[in-house]
Amino acid sequence: MSDLHIASVTKLFGETSVLKGVTLDVKDGEFISLVGPSGCGKSTLLRIIAGLETPTTGTIAIGGADVTQLRAADRNLSMVFQSYALYPHLTVAENIAVPLQMRQMTALQRLPLLGGLLPSARAQAGDIAQAVSHAAQILEIAPLLDRKPGQLSGGQRQRVALGRALVRDPAAFLLDEPLSNLDAKLRVQTRTEIAELHRRLQATFIYVTHDQVEAMTMSDRIAVMMGGEILQCAPPDVIYEDPDDIRVAEFIGSPKINILPVERNGTVLTVFDQVLSAHFSADSPKLMQMGLRPEALRLTQTAPLLTGRVVHLENLGAEIFAQVALDSNGSRVTLRAIPAQRHSLGLGVQVGLSFDLNSVMLFDADGARLRKAEVAATRAAEVA
Amino acid sequence: MVAVDASGATRVTKPKADNRQARTGWMLATPALVLMVLILLVPIILAGVLSFTNYSLGNSGFGWVGLQNYERLFARSTYEKMFVATFTYVVTVVPISVGLGLGAALLVHSLGRIGDIYKTIYFLPVMATLLAMAIAWEFMLHPTIGMVNRTLEMACGTWLEVIPFFAGGCADGFPIWLGDRDYAIWVVCFIGIWQGFGFNMVLFLAGLTSVHRELYHAAEMDGARSGWERFRLVTWPALGPTTVFVVTISCIRAFQVFDTIEAFWPQGGGPNKSAYVMMFAIFEKGIQQNLIGIGSAITMLFLLFVMFLTLIQRWLVERKVHY
Amino acid sequence: MTRDWWKHLVLILGAIIVLAPFYMMVSYSFKSPGEIDRGEGGFFGRQEMMIDPRCVALRQPGRADIEAARARFVGQDDASVQASLLAETEADCSMRPALFNYSKAFTEAPLVRYLLNGVAVTLSIFLIQSVVALPAAYALAKLNFWGRDAVFGLVLFCLLIPVHAIALPLYIGLAKLGLTNTYAALVVPWTISVFGIFLMRQFFMTVPDDLIDAARMDGMSELAIVWRVMLPTAIPALLAFAIFSVVAHWNDYFWPRIVVTGNRDLFTPPLGLREFKGDGDGSFFGPMMATATVIVTPLIVAFLLAQRRFIDGITLSGMK
């Protein structure tokens, strides 16, 4: 019913192009994250969806109706702002009631004193009060209803902003980095709560964040944006395991994916002169880049593909990340190890590393994924 | 051994450091404190005491006259005119200069960078020496060769003559402004507004820039369609503290009007004392005529008004602070 | 821009009214009395040569002048010699109206002296205010001492008192001390700026304690901390306060009017202008407007050069 259709939207701010033709379809009830580094255009895209900015070209449709020319107030969307944007002079209850008052009551009914005397206004006010207390119950902020935003903690304000968004029944919720002003602990907790809220409301959520962890943990689909474009829009596991672009692979995942150069000499693939796969037959460039997640690397003593010295260790308890400076050119790769392997890792220790070819992602020099080459490489290795 | 020494040392030096800090504190604050008492507090007490006497400078003694000075203030028609003139001025200048200041600020703010030129222009009267500008205005308002009446005369013979003011002016001459008891106080008010609204505008502009932009977006998302609704929901509440302050400071400044009146009418405060404001009365009675008792009584009333206003402001702000 | 045309219309109308007296003041300072009377000559006037009647009157050729000049006008009778001399005088005494107005402004009254007085008084007021207020503000903001809250309470109370309002008792006090008609009278009542103390105290509150502790660790005395650590960090606030103070006292007319009577050597610029007006007749509109222009110009120019600082400084009082 309220699916969202964004078609080749561009946005120019003066001379600079902030969005370069973004197309995105959001299904009804979907939780979609727009993630990317700052300045990638994700907030601009959200504000264009909201109607706070107009696109230079392109269209926005909600539920099949073109809303590109409609102003924000008429689009039936609600938004949670980074700074929460609560009206400081209104109590929590009044803040939550504002969207209902603006939409359901006439200007006359809203008049401060006179409005209260109209019977219709009183009936309306009753309905609104009920809606407000319902929203407050969902978010567990009922005890705060009489306070003003200035008397609330960051987390509480965040809930009030959520309450103001969900008090009416919008076509979609737009959330602009709603967790970025919270401390780390609260962020994790609120993350869960927003995801649960989404499941409960079954509503469309469009969530802008620069934090890949938020995107990974909450979304049905993630749209990774860079330089004003959506590089890839897919479920989190696909984004992580099967990225289309080296920039996506590098942006998602912590620690960062390891990138190593791969060379093709005829039918032989090599990395730092170590043969990865002979009898390689595929139409691929001579120079490629290989992406390896830290967990794809494993320690080995027999026939290691890579060798190097441990230069830095991070023990996170459940896992250990080791940075290894490769002997071949000194570049560092990160390896994930389990605590049981702790004894074989120590600063300065020489280690051998190996990996499975089917966990390798190949990219061309421009960063585009080379899936055919990967398949060919894996097959060649199996044949050998 | 070492540990004991250390703890002993801290126990001894702590109060010592406190003592030293206290001594320095008093040392640094004393000059200001002394001056504050001598220059601000003692004169108030002095004025309070003198307002019950018939003291004059040069006289060796004085007599206590009780409330006689205050009684006179409320009985004589001169002082009635003083109160009328002062309150007319305050009640006219404050709302209009605050309103114009707010209006100008909203317009200038909505224009962005181009608006800065207006900000500069409107602020010029605040910077200019008021006395000089009062004299300039006096020339502008000169009945025969002043720019104002010359401009008005240009309307003669046009359709504007339909308006009674122009019809009368063209037939019998335009007002002589400063010499006319019906116009004098209003001209002074006009100059007060002319001089003060730019200051208010700048204060409002400062208030406007501190309004978080996301609040306007939130209001838009919440369905506030018209500019008026957004003003009601976001701008006006955000300007609340600024408004309280602007009104108070405008009141205090309006109460203190003196330069224009002394420049226009060095003797006596306007035609038929129609612009005989309190500061001028203090100056004339207390200093020129050496009637210190009555001058002090006016001073005390004046202080009462001003402090009352400021206290109301503080109270309003305190209430608003708890957002 | 096109959508905003009505805003520009309203604002431009306002700007015309705001600028009108400035326009007139500067324009009249260029014009001859005749042009002022008749209201002609545009902004700059026609700048035709005009004869200064007072100059001519002062140099009316007497008997001795005629005798002395006889050698130059051989074979002429007395009347024509006198006429020639008069013509010479008139030629000497004629000048462009703009020059006439401004030279009169500086010669009819010691305007330079007034301006210097203005500079001296405003600067001394600001300096003394700073010297008194800064240490007190530091003590109130950063030192713990018994009675501090009481002192600060007193500061808050004194903020309520406009100094102009207590002019009469202050005047009496100064008169009793025999200080009226001195520079001291112009400066003394303003030496304490409660607003300055309050302002600087609020500013010092925002300076981290660590900075002061570090200075103490480095072995500075409390006074040295005020001048060598706090003062430099407070420069922006102090600058704003300086603008606030200088503008107020350069333009102040009320207080100098009270304590300086008659002694021209002590006149501040507004007093000088006032005196000019007092004894001027119609023909002196030009020089008077020249004087007004000279007095108003320094602050206006400074303001135009550093608008942001000025606006910040003047509106400072609105921030707290």
Side-chain angles (χ1 to χ4, degrees), chain A residues 49-67:
Chain A
I49 297 171
L52 296 171
E53 309 259 10
T54 44
T56 311
T57 61
T59 55
I60 311 283
I62 301 173
D66 185 347
V67 297

Side-chain angles (χ1 to χ4, degrees), chain C residues 139-223:
Chain C
L140 288 175
K142 291 294 179 192
L143 296 177
N144 277 313
F145 58 92
W146 182 86
R148 183 178 74 166
D149 292 342
V151 174
F152 188 59
L154 192 65
V155 168
L156 287 180
F157 174 76
C158 287
L159 270 177
L160 295 170
I161 307 166
V163 180
H164 277 167
I166 51 169
L168 181 61
L170 279 174
Y171 168 76
I172 296 166
L174 289 170
K176 281 277 159 208
L177 295 172
L179 283 175
T180 47
N181 285 312
T182 60
Y183 281 112
L186 288 169
V187 175
V188 164
W190 307 105
T191 48
I192 179 79
S193 170
V194 190
F195 173 65
I197 296 177
F198 179 72
L199 186 82
M200 297 317 289
R201 183 239 181 210
Q202 299 304 85
F203 181 83
F204 285 152
M205 295 290 277
T206 66
V207 176
D209 284 342
D210 289 353
L211 188 66
I212 295 155
D213 286 338
R216 286 193 187 124
M217 295 295 288
D218 292 343
M220 284 195 203
S221 72
E222 294 296 323
L223 210 57

Side-chain angles (χ1 to χ4, degrees), chain A residues 5-318:
Chain A
H5 182 67
I6 301 157
S8 39
V9 162
T10 64
K11 178 72 185 175
L12 290 171
F13 282 123
E15 293 289 295
T16 44
S17 164
V18 183
L19 292 177
K20 302 168 181 163
V22 171
T23 298
L24 181 66
D25 282 306
V26 183
K27 289 192 288 289
D28 188 21
E30 197 174 18
F31 192 124
I32 198 154
S33 292
L34 304 176
V35 65
S38 60
C40 70
K42 55 188 192 295
S43 281
T44 309
L45 180 60
L46 191 76
R47 292 160 57 80
I48 286 176
I49 297 171
L52 296 171
E53 309 259 10
T54 44
T56 311
T57 61
T59 55
I60 311 283
I62 301 173
D66 185 347
V67 297
T68 317
Q69 299 306 320
L70 231 51
R71 51 185 305 180
D74 299 324
R75 288 195 187 184
N76 192 28
L77 299 169
S78 55
M79 186 154 170
V80 177
F81 292 87
Q82 186 171 6
S83 66
Y84 316 135
L86 301 176
Y87 307 111
H89 63 292
L90 300 180
T91 63
V92 168
E94 287 165 338
N95 260 289
I96 297 177
V98 166
L100 295 179
Q101 287 171 343
M102 285 289 163
R103 272 155 221 274
Q104 295 174 3
M105 294 172 91
T106 60
L108 187 67
Q109 288 174 332
R110 264 186 274 127
L111 280 179
L113 289 172
L114 192 69
L117 301 174
L118 298 170
S120 62
R122 248 183 273 166
Q124 290 273 23
D127 292 349
I128 290 173
Q130 208 159 16
V132 169
S133 70
H134 181 65
Q137 244 162 24
I138 295 179
L139 293 163
E140 295 161 10
I141 49 174
L144 307 177
L145 282 176
D146 291 329
R147 296 210 202 153
K148 295 216 169 155
Q151 298 161 284
L152 304 180
S153 69
Q156 290 170 329
R157 279 184 224 184
Q158 212 270 341
R159 280 157 184 276
V160 177
L162 271 174
R164 190 174 60 178
L166 63 78
V167 70
R168 64 203 169 84
D169 191 23
F173 291 92
L174 311 177
L175 300 97
D176 187 5
E177 309 230 11
L179 305 185
S180 63
N181 284 339
L182 301 180
D183 63 49
K185 205 169 172 185
L186 207 54
R187 202 149 44 200
V188 174
Q189 184 193 338
T190 316
R191 207 162 72 195
T192 321
E193 284 170 3
I194 291 181
E196 278 169 2
L197 193 67
H198 169 247
R199 250 172 273 144
R200 175 172 176 172
L201 295 174
Q202 293 294 324
T204 312
F205 275 52
I206 301 179
Y207 187 101
V208 163
T209 177
H210 63 271
D211 182 358
Q212 46 145 328
V213 180
E214 283 174 27
M216 292 293 284
T217 49
M218 299 159 81
S219 331
D220 294 326
R221 279 196 299 156
I222 298 175
V224 181
M225 292 188 70
M226 249 168 245
E229 291 170 299
I230 294 184
L231 296 177
Q232 188 174 6
C233 182
D237 46 345
V238 176
I239 290 280
Y240 186 77
E241 290 162 11
D242 193 14
D244 287 342
D245 193 291
I246 196 165
R247 288 173 288 172
V248 176
E250 282 185 307
F251 187 77
I252 301 290
S254 174
K256 229 167 110 176
I257 193 167
N258 301 304
I259 304 289
L260 296 170
V262 175
E263 252 180 274
R264 178 177 66 85
N265 291 312
T267 58
V268 182
L269 280 188
T270 55
V271 57
F272 298 130
D273 297 332
Q274 281 283 336
V275 174
L276 274 183
S277 165
H279 315 295
F280 172 79
S281 61
D283 186 27
S284 82
K286 279 186 88 66
L287 284 175
M288 291 180 281
Q289 304 180 77
M290 173 176 78
L292 273 174
R293 294 281 178 201
E295 62 269 25
L297 284 168
R298 59 171 191 270
L299 290 166
T300 180
Q301 263 122 33
T302 51
L305 285 165
L306 302 165
T307 56
R309 255 173 344 102
V310 176
V311 287
H312 183 67
L313 279 172
E314 282 174 349
N315 187 350
L316 301 186

Side-chain angles (χ1 to χ4, degrees), chain A residues 47 71-74 81 83 85-89 99 102-103 110 148 150-151 164 168, chain B residues 212-215 217-225 229-230 232-234 237 322-323:
Chain A
R47 292 160 57 80
R71 51 185 305 180
D74 299 324
F81 292 87
S83 66
L86 301 176
Y87 307 111
H89 63 292
M102 285 289 163
R103 272 155 221 274
R110 264 186 274 127
K148 295 216 169 155
Q151 298 161 284
R164 190 174 60 178
R168 64 203 169 84
Chain B
H212 204 297
R213 269 187 65 221
E214 275 193 350
L215 275 176
H217 298 321
E220 175 85 33
M221 295 301 293
D222 286 344
R225 283 176 187 79
E229 280 175 328
R230 282 193 297 274
R232 269 278 316 275
L233 190 59
V234 179
H322 300 296
Y323 270 162

Side-chain angles (χ1 to χ4, degrees), chain C:
Chain C
M1 186 78 192
T2 44
R3 213 163 35 101
D4 291 335
W5 67 269
W6 67 272
K7 295 180 185 168
H8 285 283
L9 188 74
V10 172
L11 290 169
I12 287 171
L13 277 176
I16 289 174
I17 295 174
V18 166
L19 290 178
F22 290 98
Y23 172 89
M24 197 226 54
M25 177 177 78
V26 177
S27 171
Y28 277 23
S29 79
F30 293 143
K31 288 186 182 182
S32 68
E35 285 169 327
I36 292 175
D37 271 350
R38 292 187 297 276
E40 49 185 41
F43 181 71
F44 288 106
R46 277 190 298 276
Q47 298 298 329
E48 284 164 350
M49 292 303 248
M50 60 170 281
I51 295 162
D52 177 0
R54 224 186 271 195
C55 166
V56 176
L58 282 174
R59 293 170 54 174
Q60 205 53 252
R63 198 62 241 167
D65 297 317
I66 295 171
E67 291 301 329
R70 200 175 287 281
R72 289 196 287 136
F73 305 97
V74 184
Q76 292 183 11
D77 60 17
D78 280 6
S80 63
V81 169
Q82 188 177 3
S84 312
L85 278 177
L86 205 58
E88 274 179 7
T89 314
E90 282 186 356
D92 281 350
C93 284
S94 66
M95 54 178 106
R96 305 279 173 204
L99 188 64
F100 171 78
N101 290 340
Y102 280 92
S103 61
K104 279 290 164 208
F106 282 95
T107 52
E108 283 297 302
L111 183 55
V112 177
R113 168 102 200 205
Y114 299 165
L115 292 171
L116 290 177
N117 280 344
V119 171
V121 167
T122 39
L123 285 188
S124 345
I125 288 175
F126 168 65
L127 283 179
I128 300 176
Q129 280 177 340
S130 311
V131 170
V132 173
L134 279 172
Y138 168 72
L140 288 175
K142 291 294 179 192
L143 296 177
N144 277 313
F145 58 92
W146 182 86
R148 183 178 74 166
D149 292 342
V151 174
F152 188 59
L154 192 65
V155 168
L156 287 180
F157 174 76
C158 287
L159 270 177
L160 295 170
I161 307 166
V163 180
H164 277 167
I166 51 169
L168 181 61
L170 279 174
Y171 168 76
I172 296 166
L174 289 170
K176 281 277 159 208
L177 295 172
L179 283 175
T180 47
N181 285 312
T182 60
Y183 281 112
L186 288 169
V187 175
V188 164
W190 307 105
T191 48
I192 179 79
S193 170
V194 190
F195 173 65
I197 296 177
F198 179 72
L199 186 82
M200 297 317 289
R201 183 239 181 210
Q202 299 304 85
F203 181 83
F204 285 152
M205 295 290 277
T206 66
V207 176
D209 284 342
D210 289 353
L211 188 66
I212 295 155
D213 286 338
R216 286 193 187 124
M217 295 295 288
D218 292 343
M220 284 195 203
S221 72
E222 294 296 323
L223 210 57
I225 291 176
V226 177
W227 297 120
R228 294 181 46 199
V229 180
M230 297 309 262
L231 183 64
T233 59
I235 290 291
L238 198 64
L239 202 61
F241 176 64
I243 289 169
F244 181 88
S245 165
V246 166
V247 170
H249 295 117
W250 178 268
N251 289 337
D252 189 21
Y253 171 64
F254 181 70
W255 182 250
R257 178 81 181 82
I258 287 177
V259 288
V260 176
T261 44
N263 185 355
R264 279 174 139 211
D265 289 346
L266 294 171
F267 274 15
T268 56
L271 280 182
L273 178 63
R274 186 73 189 79
E275 190 202 32
F276 216 124
K277 180 179 184 268
D279 60 27
D281 51 34
S283 69
F284 262 63
F285 281 3
M288 192 155 116
M289 285 297 105
T291 307
T293 310
V294 169
I295 291 171
V296 170
T297 302
L299 284 186
I300 296 281
V301 168
F303 164 64
L304 291 177
L305 290 179
Q307 283 181 50
R308 182 170 290 264
R309 285 213 175 280
F310 267 74
I311 290 180
D312 287 355
I314 301 292
T315 53
L316 202 61
S317 47
M319 300 303 131
K320 292 280 129 48

